[in-house]
Amino acid sequence: MKIAMIGTGYVGLVTGTCFSELGNDVICVDNDIEKIKKLNKEIIPIYEPGLEEMVKKNRNEKRLSFTSEIEDAVKESEIIFIAVGTPPKENGEADLSSVEKVSAVVADVMTDYKLVVGKSTVPVNTGKWIKKTINIRNARGIDFDVASNPEFLREGSAINDFLFPDRIVIGVESERAKNILCELYKPVDAPILVTDIESAEIIKHASNSFLATKISFINAISIICERAGADVEMVAKGMGLDKRIGKDFLKAGAGFGGFCFPKDLSAFIRIAENLGYDFRLLKEVERINDEQKKLIVKKIKENLWNLNGKSVGILGLSFKPDTDDIRYAPSIDIIGELLQEGVKIKAYDPKAMERMKVIIPGITYCKDPYEVCEDSDALVVLTEWDEFKNLKVKKIKKLLRTPILIDGRNIFDPKSIEDEGFIYSGVGRK
Ligand code: UGA
């Protein structure tokens, strides 16, 4: 099938590349000319395992191309995916001006049937607006359909998530649109849920909000565990064995980040508000998450007493492992607070340091975790990269000025690390 993927951000680039891998002809479009130039040289703007190889392969086989000429891409394609950014406005609402612009271009250049599919995370009723925008400009009365096909890709495992999803959600209002999208996803072995467009739009926001709620729930439980002398890892395990609860997304830690959960939560709260519902549950999910980051700073204070002039080593800057993405990463808030207290920071991350240097230039970036430990008064783990789980703890202890370890992701076993002589503080553990 011939596909135009408008927007080559995270979602667009991964989804477009995966559709080409399935044998479709995909043109990826972006108005960032520099980005397109780089992609045409096979320089991938994000770190995502397996993506670079897949881009190269499909470009070589002439199924995948990159352009900034949206008009040509739309003309040549039957299915137009809108995967442009929907960044948060100051009040938390999603800014949909890019979605509107793309819809207008589609209307202006189409000469034959187009299926316009919303892929970006958007408020409910965006599909209606896309349809309205195209209709207003479609004086020639050309046939088209609008659909919603939300993505559920996780950074770091996005390709796998695309090829082996739990489900595919398709929101449509015509048989023709349904048949095209079902045919497109035929090679993917997953249940397809066909709904109306509004339900598909809400499924995306409700899913992300529910997952964020699960994380804040276990983080709240972690506070109870600490106070009661229980271990949240055990509690999560005991809860997760119940199939109705499930074991995933019950990992207590330094809070959730990334460009999806924080943004989608506040957008969904605004959507509910606009529909006359005060979604207090989700407001509390946000509050718990903010508190969780402050709790890490509190733990550092409890161990170091006065922070001014102390040296703290940070392991992990990205919002989660296997990505270089630092957007809304808990590390940003935690480092910010520590800097305000006059702490000197040394940090290391396997992939995210170049990005972090741009927004927090005034700290020391180290070549490896051991350099971070040299003469630091405490070591703080903020991202659970595999590399950190296999560190030589004896060496770390020797390098640290005082053997204080704040494990913001519970990657170490408290008993064995304490047996090595560390003063250990995890999240929700004795
Ligand atoms: C999330 C969803 O998981 C995807 O399904 C969705 O498609 C995507 O948002 C999106 O809307 O585009 P992502 O943001 O890549 O994916 O990352 P997650 O793996 O969901 O993790 C989000 C945050 O939650 C991370 O900061 C992670 O450290 C934190 N987390 C996750 C926890 O603190 N505890 C957990 O148990 C799980």
Side-chain angles (χ1 to χ4, degrees):
M1 289 179 162
K2 286 187 183 295
I3 297 172
M5 183 64 64
I6 317 296
T8 53
Y10 192 84
V11 172
L13 183 55
V14 173
T15 311
T17 305
C18 286
F19 276 135
S20 70
E21 178 74 12
L22 296 184
N24 300 288
D25 291 322
V26 182
I27 311 173
C28 288
V29 184
D30 207 288
N31 55 10
D32 181 341
I33 294 170
E34 283 312 307
K35 191 197 260 184
I36 292 297
K37 270 188 199 160
K38 281 189 183 157
L39 283 166
N40 277 323
K41 287 185 201 149
E42 293 171 355
I43 301 169
I44 312 299
I46 51 167
Y47 171 71
E48 179 63 36
L51 183 61
E52 188 174 338
E53 297 77 5
M54 203 181 262
V55 168
K56 283 184 178 157
K57 178 182 162 214
N58 287 287
R59 260 176 52 84
N60 275 343
E61 291 171 11
K62 308 268 178 258
R63 285 194 299 267
L64 179 65
S65 61
F66 299 99
T67 178
S68 45
E69 305 295 327
I70 182 169
E71 286 85 358
D72 295 346
V74 168
K75 269 184 216 156
E76 281 175 37
S77 309
E78 180 182 21
I79 313 175
I80 322 291
F81 277 96
I82 305 184
V84 294
T86 53
K89 295 195 272 191
E90 236 165 55
N91 65 1
E93 260 177 20
D95 180 349
L96 298 173
S97 44
S98 299
V99 177
E100 184 184 345
K101 274 184 204 143
V102 173
S103 314
V105 172
V106 173
D108 290 345
V109 305
M110 65 183 189
T111 49
D112 54 1
Y113 174 80
K114 303 289 174 203
L115 172 57
V116 183
V117 190
K119 198 67 174 154
S120 315
T121 301
V122 291
V124 62
N125 287 329
T126 299
K128 278 202 181 100
W129 277 104
I130 295 174
K131 190 173 174 186
K132 202 167 165 182
T133 308
I134 298 176
N135 262 333
I136 290 170
R137 306 169 84 101
N138 184 18
R140 291 160 293 170
I142 292 160
D143 210 7
F144 73 97
D145 274 308
V146 171
S148 165
N149 171 221
E151 58 87 19
F152 303 106
L153 311 176
R154 287 165 300 175
E155 293 190 20
S157 56
I159 289 180
N160 204 59
D161 288 347
F162 181 95
L163 297 172
F164 308 98
D166 288 346
R167 79 311 203 178
I168 293 161
V169 174
I170 289 172
V172 286
E173 46 181 24
S174 83
E175 224 19 56
R176 183 173 187 180
K178 175 185 150 187
N179 292 340
I180 292 173
L181 287 172
C182 287
E183 183 65 28
L184 178 64
Y185 279 107
K186 214 174 187 176
V188 180
D189 181 19
I192 298 184
L193 178 71
V194 180
T195 71
D196 55 278
I197 296 178
E198 290 71 32
S199 300
E201 289 168 338
I202 288 189
I203 285 170
K204 170 68 189 190
H205 267 127
S207 300
N208 272 6
S209 300
F210 187 79
L211 291 171
T213 304
K214 248 186 134 178
I215 300 170
S216 277
F217 184 86
I218 200 66
N219 282 335
I221 296 289
S222 78
I223 294 172
I224 309 282
C225 286
E226 273 181 26
R227 293 185 187 176
D231 185 338
V232 74
E233 295 293 319
M234 284 298 140
V235 173
K237 201 169 180 179
M239 289 169 62
L241 284 169
D242 185 329
K243 285 197 196 77
R244 292 169 304 172
I245 297 173
K247 64 179 176 13
D248 294 332
F249 280 70
L250 280 183
K251 189 99 185 84
F256 59 76
F259 202 53
C260 302
F261 286 177
K263 167 177 84 78
D264 292 355
L265 259 186
S266 60
F268 204 32
I269 290 169
R270 290 294 307 194
I271 292 165
E273 216 166 276
N274 290 340
L275 295 168
Y277 180 68
D278 182 7
F279 215 146
R280 275 182 287 179
L281 174 65
L282 294 188
K283 288 180 182 169
E284 192 56 17
V285 168
E286 276 187 327
R287 192 198 61 78
I288 294 171
N289 198 51
D290 288 342
E291 287 294 312
Q292 205 63 18
K293 294 177 252 181
K294 294 199 179 101
L295 216 70
I296 300 289
V297 177
K298 193 167 158 245
K299 281 177 193 289
I300 300 171
K301 270 189 193 164
E302 279 166 0
N303 279 282
L304 292 185
W305 193 16
N306 297 299
L307 290 185
N308 193 14
K310 296 267 168 65
S311 230
V312 168
I314 304 278
L315 292 186
L317 299 169
S318 56
F319 81 97
K320 66 172 195 176
D322 295 322
T323 175
D324 60 351
D325 197 341
I326 55 164
R327 289 176 296 175
Y328 296 94
S331 63
I332 297 175
D333 293 337
I334 293 167
I335 291 173
E337 268 203 52
L338 291 173
L339 287 175
Q340 268 188 354
E341 297 266 4
V343 174
K344 282 178 258 164
I345 306 269
K346 290 167 94 177
Y348 170 77
D349 187 285
K351 293 283 174 205
M353 289 200 286
E354 289 314 308
R355 290 192 191 270
M356 196 58 103
K357 279 177 194 169
V358 179
I359 60 163
I360 308 186
I363 62 172
T364 307
Y365 291 92
C366 299
K367 65 173 190 311
D368 63 31
Y370 299 107
E371 198 185 328
V372 169
C373 298
E374 269 171 42
D375 294 325
S376 285
D377 294 295
L379 183 64
V380 181
V381 178
L382 293 183
T383 318
E384 66 277 33
W385 284 94
D386 278 344
E387 188 181 335
F388 303 155
K389 295 176 186 163
N390 303 315
L391 290 174
K392 295 177 187 131
V393 286
K394 284 192 171 53
K395 187 171 173 186
I396 289 182
K397 186 164 171 268
K398 260 194 204 148
L399 291 168
L400 286 169
R401 207 179 278 157
T402 42
I404 295 169
L405 177 55
I406 315 287
D407 185 359
R409 295 290 172 188
N410 289 352
I411 62 171
F412 292 101
D413 172 48
K415 167 104 179 53
S416 38
I417 206 84
E418 277 169 0
D419 286 350
E420 293 285 348
F422 280 87
I423 300 163
Y424 176 85
S425 179
V427 176
R429 308 179 111 178
K430 280 182 208 172

